[in-house]
mmCIF file of all heavy atoms in Angstrom:
data_model
loop_
_atom_site.group_PDB
_atom_site.id
_atom_site.type_symbol
_atom_site.label_atom_id
_atom_site.label_comp_id
_atom_site.label_asym_id
_atom_site.label_seq_id
_atom_site.Cartn_x
_atom_site.Cartn_y
_atom_site.Cartn_z
ATOM 1 N N LEU E 240 17.612 -33.991 -0.572
ATOM 2 C CA LEU E 240 17.932 -34.863 -1.692
ATOM 3 C C LEU E 240 16.855 -35.861 -1.886
ATOM 4 O O LEU E 240 16.363 -36.184 -3.029
ATOM 5 C CB LEU E 240 19.218 -35.640 -1.278
ATOM 6 C CG LEU E 240 20.117 -35.903 -2.395
ATOM 7 C CD1 LEU E 240 20.669 -34.663 -3.101
ATOM 8 C CD2 LEU E 240 21.288 -36.781 -2.056
ATOM 9 N N LYS E 241 16.189 -36.246 -0.791
ATOM 10 C CA LYS E 241 15.116 -37.294 -0.879
ATOM 11 C C LYS E 241 13.875 -36.724 -1.486
ATOM 12 O O LYS E 241 13.217 -37.339 -2.190
ATOM 13 C CB LYS E 241 14.793 -37.684 0.596
ATOM 14 C CG LYS E 241 14.469 -39.199 0.754
ATOM 15 C CD LYS E 241 14.323 -39.405 2.249
ATOM 16 C CE LYS E 241 13.278 -40.308 2.697
ATOM 17 N NZ LYS E 241 13.188 -40.461 4.130
ATOM 18 N N SER E 242 13.681 -35.377 -1.234
ATOM 19 C CA SER E 242 12.444 -34.712 -1.759
ATOM 20 C C SER E 242 12.652 -33.953 -2.948
ATOM 21 O O SER E 242 11.926 -33.053 -3.393
ATOM 22 C CB SER E 242 11.745 -33.773 -0.678
ATOM 23 O OG SER E 242 12.031 -34.307 0.673
ATOM 24 N N ARG E 243 13.793 -34.204 -3.618
ATOM 25 C CA ARG E 243 14.142 -33.367 -4.765
ATOM 26 C C ARG E 243 13.139 -33.288 -5.937
ATOM 27 O O ARG E 243 12.966 -32.181 -6.551
ATOM 28 C CB ARG E 243 15.515 -33.714 -5.252
ATOM 29 C CG ARG E 243 15.703 -35.006 -5.798
ATOM 30 C CD ARG E 243 17.235 -35.242 -6.301
ATOM 31 N NE ARG E 243 17.394 -36.543 -6.855
ATOM 32 C CZ ARG E 243 17.591 -37.634 -6.092
ATOM 33 N NH1 ARG E 243 17.610 -37.673 -4.878
ATOM 34 N NH2 ARG E 243 17.846 -38.822 -6.678
ATOM 35 N N ALA E 244 12.462 -34.439 -6.120
ATOM 36 C CA ALA E 244 11.446 -34.356 -7.255
ATOM 37 C C ALA E 244 10.385 -33.409 -6.906
ATOM 38 O O ALA E 244 10.023 -32.624 -7.811
ATOM 39 C CB ALA E 244 10.980 -35.797 -7.434
ATOM 40 N N VAL E 245 9.886 -33.447 -5.641
ATOM 41 C CA VAL E 245 8.851 -32.535 -5.247
ATOM 42 C C VAL E 245 9.270 -31.084 -5.322
ATOM 43 O O VAL E 245 8.525 -30.200 -5.763
ATOM 44 C CB VAL E 245 8.245 -32.848 -3.904
ATOM 45 C CG1 VAL E 245 7.040 -32.037 -3.556
ATOM 46 C CG2 VAL E 245 7.937 -34.349 -3.726
ATOM 47 N N ILE E 246 10.547 -30.863 -4.804
ATOM 48 C CA ILE E 246 11.135 -29.606 -4.752
ATOM 49 C C ILE E 246 11.207 -28.959 -6.256
ATOM 50 O O ILE E 246 10.942 -27.903 -6.532
ATOM 51 C CB ILE E 246 12.549 -29.417 -4.058
ATOM 52 C CG1 ILE E 246 12.192 -29.689 -2.617
ATOM 53 C CG2 ILE E 246 13.203 -28.171 -4.249
ATOM 54 C CD1 ILE E 246 13.341 -29.843 -1.776
ATOM 55 N N PHE E 247 11.591 -29.802 -7.128
ATOM 56 C CA PHE E 247 11.752 -29.366 -8.620
ATOM 57 C C PHE E 247 10.309 -28.974 -9.128
ATOM 58 O O PHE E 247 10.237 -28.021 -9.851
ATOM 59 C CB PHE E 247 12.312 -30.431 -9.432
ATOM 60 C CG PHE E 247 13.864 -30.361 -9.387
ATOM 61 C CD1 PHE E 247 14.626 -31.436 -9.188
ATOM 62 C CD2 PHE E 247 14.524 -29.103 -9.836
ATOM 63 C CE1 PHE E 247 16.074 -31.372 -9.145
ATOM 64 C CE2 PHE E 247 15.891 -29.057 -9.842
ATOM 65 C CZ PHE E 247 16.676 -30.140 -9.537
ATOM 66 N N PHE E 248 9.285 -29.802 -8.779
ATOM 67 C CA PHE E 248 8.021 -29.534 -9.142
ATOM 68 C C PHE E 248 7.542 -28.176 -8.612
ATOM 69 O O PHE E 248 6.859 -27.304 -9.382
ATOM 70 C CB PHE E 248 7.095 -30.737 -8.625
ATOM 71 C CG PHE E 248 5.575 -30.433 -8.988
ATOM 72 C CD1 PHE E 248 5.228 -30.495 -10.313
ATOM 73 C CD2 PHE E 248 4.701 -30.120 -8.042
ATOM 74 C CE1 PHE E 248 3.866 -30.316 -10.587
ATOM 75 C CE2 PHE E 248 3.408 -29.804 -8.291
ATOM 76 C CZ PHE E 248 2.976 -29.913 -9.574
ATOM 77 N N ILE E 249 7.845 -27.914 -7.422
ATOM 78 C CA ILE E 249 7.505 -26.598 -6.708
ATOM 79 C C ILE E 249 8.134 -25.505 -7.360
ATOM 80 O O ILE E 249 7.625 -24.419 -7.680
ATOM 81 C CB ILE E 249 7.787 -26.666 -5.194
ATOM 82 C CG1 ILE E 249 6.905 -27.695 -4.395
ATOM 83 C CG2 ILE E 249 7.617 -25.298 -4.555
ATOM 84 C CD1 ILE E 249 7.289 -27.869 -3.069
ATOM 85 N N LEU E 250 9.371 -25.649 -7.757
ATOM 86 C CA LEU E 250 10.142 -24.713 -8.464
ATOM 87 C C LEU E 250 9.498 -24.367 -9.802
ATOM 88 O O LEU E 250 9.287 -23.143 -10.190
ATOM 89 C CB LEU E 250 11.611 -25.198 -8.692
ATOM 90 C CG LEU E 250 12.520 -24.116 -9.380
ATOM 91 C CD1 LEU E 250 12.715 -22.911 -8.524
ATOM 92 C CD2 LEU E 250 13.891 -24.725 -9.793
ATOM 93 N N ALA E 251 9.028 -25.365 -10.533
ATOM 94 C CA ALA E 251 8.485 -25.124 -11.721
ATOM 95 C C ALA E 251 7.207 -24.405 -11.642
ATOM 96 O O ALA E 251 6.955 -23.406 -12.420
ATOM 97 C CB ALA E 251 8.284 -26.533 -12.520
ATOM 98 N N VAL E 252 6.386 -24.847 -10.667
ATOM 99 C CA VAL E 252 5.053 -24.153 -10.444
ATOM 100 C C VAL E 252 5.293 -22.658 -9.997
ATOM 101 O O VAL E 252 4.658 -21.770 -10.487
ATOM 102 C CB VAL E 252 4.242 -24.881 -9.356
ATOM 103 C CG1 VAL E 252 2.951 -24.121 -9.004
ATOM 104 C CG2 VAL E 252 3.754 -26.262 -9.873
ATOM 105 N N SER E 253 6.298 -22.438 -9.136
ATOM 106 C CA SER E 253 6.592 -21.012 -8.664
ATOM 107 C C SER E 253 7.003 -20.179 -9.872
ATOM 108 O O SER E 253 6.555 -19.145 -10.031
ATOM 109 C CB SER E 253 7.747 -21.063 -7.599
ATOM 110 O OG SER E 253 7.426 -21.892 -6.655
ATOM 111 N N LEU E 254 7.762 -20.705 -10.669
ATOM 112 C CA LEU E 254 8.345 -19.944 -11.785
ATOM 113 C C LEU E 254 7.139 -19.653 -12.796
ATOM 114 O O LEU E 254 7.015 -18.551 -13.272
ATOM 115 C CB LEU E 254 9.411 -20.750 -12.592
ATOM 116 C CG LEU E 254 10.780 -20.689 -12.041
ATOM 117 C CD1 LEU E 254 11.644 -21.721 -12.706
ATOM 118 C CD2 LEU E 254 11.335 -19.362 -11.932
ATOM 119 N N LEU E 255 6.206 -20.616 -12.998
ATOM 120 C CA LEU E 255 5.063 -20.387 -13.792
ATOM 121 C C LEU E 255 4.197 -19.322 -13.232
ATOM 122 O O LEU E 255 3.720 -18.347 -13.933
ATOM 123 C CB LEU E 255 4.253 -21.693 -13.950
ATOM 124 C CG LEU E 255 2.990 -21.613 -14.834
ATOM 125 C CD1 LEU E 255 3.575 -21.555 -16.281
ATOM 126 C CD2 LEU E 255 2.137 -22.817 -14.623
ATOM 127 N N VAL E 256 3.875 -19.405 -11.828
ATOM 128 C CA VAL E 256 3.014 -18.383 -11.166
ATOM 129 C C VAL E 256 3.762 -17.003 -11.332
ATOM 130 O O VAL E 256 3.103 -15.987 -11.412
ATOM 131 C CB VAL E 256 2.760 -18.755 -9.836
ATOM 132 C CG1 VAL E 256 2.046 -17.582 -9.106
ATOM 133 C CG2 VAL E 256 1.980 -20.051 -9.774
ATOM 134 N N GLY E 257 5.070 -16.916 -11.128
ATOM 135 C CA GLY E 257 5.891 -15.697 -11.207
ATOM 136 C C GLY E 257 5.709 -14.993 -12.580
ATOM 137 O O GLY E 257 5.377 -13.868 -12.729
#
Side-chain angles (χ1 to χ4, degrees):
L240 215 64
K241 215 167 140 189
S242 326
R243 62 183 180 280
V245 188
I246 291 176
F247 273 125
F248 176 72
I249 292 171
L250 180 68
V252 171
S253 309
L254 286 171
L255 182 73
V256 173

